[in-house]
Every structure is written in structure tokens, then in C-alpha cells.
Amino acid sequence: MHPDLSSSRNFGGQFCSYIPGKDYRSLPYLTADFDYDLPDERIAQEPVTPRDSCKLLVLDRATGQTHHTLFTRIIDHLNPEDLLIVNDTRVLPARLMMRKANTHGAVEVLLLEQIEAIDPRTELWKCLVRPGKSARVGSALEFVGSDDLALAGCIRGVIAEGTRI
């Protein structure tokens, strides 16, 4: 079992940990709850063909055991009363490698959602910033990359779960 599945977290007096066979109700999770190390060589660069031949990780909730199968076998793991929700959203390719203007420390910015287009050259975005603790309100950021592309940003606020504006 993945070590993170057996970890506990305190949610305002409520503790959440994986217990085989337990029914879980909705609890407030943080985006940091889903952080894990994934080596670059393990990240798919192209979708598999055919698409439904991708891997499927199955968790047996009664035993806590996991095993791998193919997505084409998903029907083997569903009961008649189960609800399957399909996420067909597209990923916005908006991961930017930036640096803090004052210290040149590396900062990774993942743009999540455009909040406002202030003018043709200025946009306000909701984003995740790593490392987040060093990206404080007022931090000026510069794009690291092509000399002919000028891109700069400023952390204007911190909202729920550490998301930056």
C-alpha cells in the first residue's frame, strides 16, 4: 500500500485516514494532500493508443490491497448501483518556470484559471506556486526562458488552500 494512504490528517478535530471498508464522507482536503514525487521519466508524453488501453489502479476497499489492470477492464470493478463520472476536461499547458526578481530563486507557477483580463497585456490568474512559502504577497516574479519573451508577475494575494492570485 502507498504510504500516503495510511497517513492521518487532522481536519478541525476530525481525523481522516484510510481504513479498509470504511465509508468516507466529504472532508476538506488541501491540494498539498495530493503532492507526491513522480520522476519525469514516469510521466507520459503521449496518450496511449488506443486510449482505453491505459493502466487502471484498483483499490479493494475491503482489504486495502491495490493491483494494476487496464481501463478496458473497469466494468469488472463496478457494481450495478455504482456511478461512474467521466472527466473530459482538457489540461491547460500553463506550467511556468519563473524566478523571484529580488533573489533569483526558482519558482514554479501552474496557472489554474484566469480570473480577469485587466487589459490586453495584464491578466489576473489563480495559480499554484511552488515553493509556496517563499512566494509571499508582493513577490515579483520573472519568466525564465527565451530572451524575446517578456513575462512578469506579482503575487497579489493568497486564497484558500494556499492558491495564489
Side-chain angles (χ1 to χ4, degrees):
M1 182 186 310
H2 191 279
D4 290 341
L5 290 177
S6 61
S7 64
S8 295
R9 294 233 5 200
N10 184 337
F11 294 101
Q14 297 176 325
F15 285 88
C16 179
S17 62
Y18 177 75
I19 300 169
K22 178 180 177 183
D23 287 328
Y24 289 89
R25 56 193 172 100
S26 178
L27 291 173
Y29 288 98
L30 303 175
T31 53
D33 292 335
F34 303 97
D35 284 346
Y36 57 92
D37 290 322
L38 181 61
D40 288 343
E41 64 272 8
R42 302 288 298 175
I43 301 172
Q45 300 302 309
E46 302 283 331
V48 295
T49 304
R51 294 293 295 263
D52 62 356
S53 68
C54 63
K55 290 182 182 179
L56 177 67
L57 177 63
V58 178
L59 168 67
D60 183 330
R61 294 181 76 179
T63 66
Q65 296 296 310
T66 60
H67 70 275
H68 291 272
T69 186
L70 296 178
F71 189 80
T72 54
R73 308 288 314 249
I74 192 169
I75 196 71
D76 298 339
H77 306 284
L78 297 175
N79 296 312
E81 68 276 2
D82 288 342
L83 172 66
L84 178 64
I85 298 173
V86 178
N87 178 355
D88 64 354
T89 58
R90 302 260 180 220
V91 175
L92 177 69
R95 186 176 306 273
L96 304 172
M97 296 311 297
M98 301 186 83
R99 65 180 178 211
K100 291 183 274 181
N102 60 345
T103 65
H104 293 251
V107 176
E108 179 182 4
V109 177
L110 177 63
L111 301 177
L112 300 175
E113 176 186 352
Q114 183 180 9
I115 297 171
E116 180 182 0
I118 297 169
D119 62 50
R121 296 179 47 118
T122 307
E123 298 174 350
L124 199 58
W125 283 81
K126 184 186 298 185
C127 57
L128 295 177
V129 179
R130 200 180 277 179
K133 291 185 181 195
S134 68
R136 294 181 175 88
V137 174
S139 295
L141 306 176
E142 304 169 329
F143 181 66
V144 178
S146 173
D147 291 334
D148 58 345
L149 178 63
L151 180 64
C154 179
I155 306 294
R156 297 183 58 182
V158 179
I159 56 176
E161 302 175 6
T163 305
R164 279 21 183 199
I165 305 267

